Amino acid sequence: MAGLEGMEQPQRRTGTAAARRAPSVDDESAAKAVDLFGNPAVDEVRLPSRPESAGTARRLAEYVVLRDWGLTHQLAEYTVLLVSELVGNAVRHTGARTFGLRMLRRRGWIRVEVRDPSRGLPCLMPVAELDTSGRGLMLVDLLSQRWGADLLPRGKTTWFEMRVTEP
């Protein structure tokens, strides 16, 4: 599958090994993003619904997984990728002015939520090998143990959960 070569799959899934840039826990921009927008592990962070917000959401997710929670670089890489996919969907498909990002941890699991004001539910679509778009939810489905969307009185929360080995 394009873009997943070399990514070891979480727990029950397997993949091949190849070099990929691991997220950098020393990234100053991640700390600046937390200072500017807040920590999504403490409270929901509201971000403008613009394409460049995906980068901010990725930096926030990386910061939380590596610095706050002290989890592995591989888990951070998967989390960053899946956050990018959910944020991309919220920006492209909802017409919202803002979206929310929240990250939760409980024993053995992490959960990432993206909240937006649209009540349109995400749909996992079949993707052909040469398709250039539509792979986001397929990646979420492949790399997370669970994912879904919860309707709210005004909008929805799209989420994924991944198992973690406690340090």
Side-chain angles (χ1 to χ4, degrees), residues 28-50:
E28 283 185 36
S29 63
K32 287 180 183 176
V34 171
D35 288 342
L36 186 59
F37 294 100
N39 185 329
V42 174
D43 199 11
E44 180 180 88
V45 171
R46 300 298 299 171
L47 295 168
S49 189
R50 295 190 303 248

Side-chain angles (χ1 to χ4, degrees), residues 9 42 59 67 73-74 86 113 140 142 162:
Q9 302 295 313
V42 174
R59 286 187 292 279
R67 284 200 177 166
H73 282 276
Q74 183 174 13
L86 293 189
E113 301 176 346
V140 173
L142 180 67
M162 292 193 293

Side-chain angles (χ1 to χ4, degrees), residues 7 30 36 80 89 95 105 138 146:
M7 293 179 77
L36 186 59
V80 165
N89 285 347
R105 182 173 179 198
M138 181 189 67
R146 294 177 3 127

Side-chain angles (χ1 to χ4, degrees), residues 66-124:
L66 294 176
R67 284 200 177 166
D68 283 0
W69 295 341
L71 300 173
T72 67
H73 282 276
Q74 183 174 13
L75 184 66
E77 187 173 344
Y78 291 152
T79 303
V80 165
L81 174 64
L82 301 187
V83 162
S84 189
E85 297 301 338
L86 293 189
V87 167
N89 285 347
V91 170
R92 272 189 299 278
H93 301 298
T94 67
R97 290 178 180 242
T98 64
F99 64 89
L101 174 66
R102 189 168 85 156
M103 299 177 69
L104 306 161
R105 182 173 179 198
R106 65 181 192 274
R107 186 167 179 80
W109 290 90
I110 65 167
R111 179 180 173 109
V112 177
E113 301 176 346
V114 174
R115 186 170 61 91
D116 64 68
S118 170
R119 290 182 54 86
L121 294 174
C123 182
L124 182 61

Side-chain angles (χ1 to χ4, degrees), residues 143-165:
L143 295 176
S144 68
Q145 275 68 48
R146 294 177 3 127
W147 73 274
D150 299 327
L151 285 175
L152 304 170
R154 293 184 181 189
K156 69 176 173 304
T157 299
T158 307
W159 54 268
F160 66 86
E161 294 180 339
M162 292 193 293
R163 286 189 185 107
V164 298
T165 304

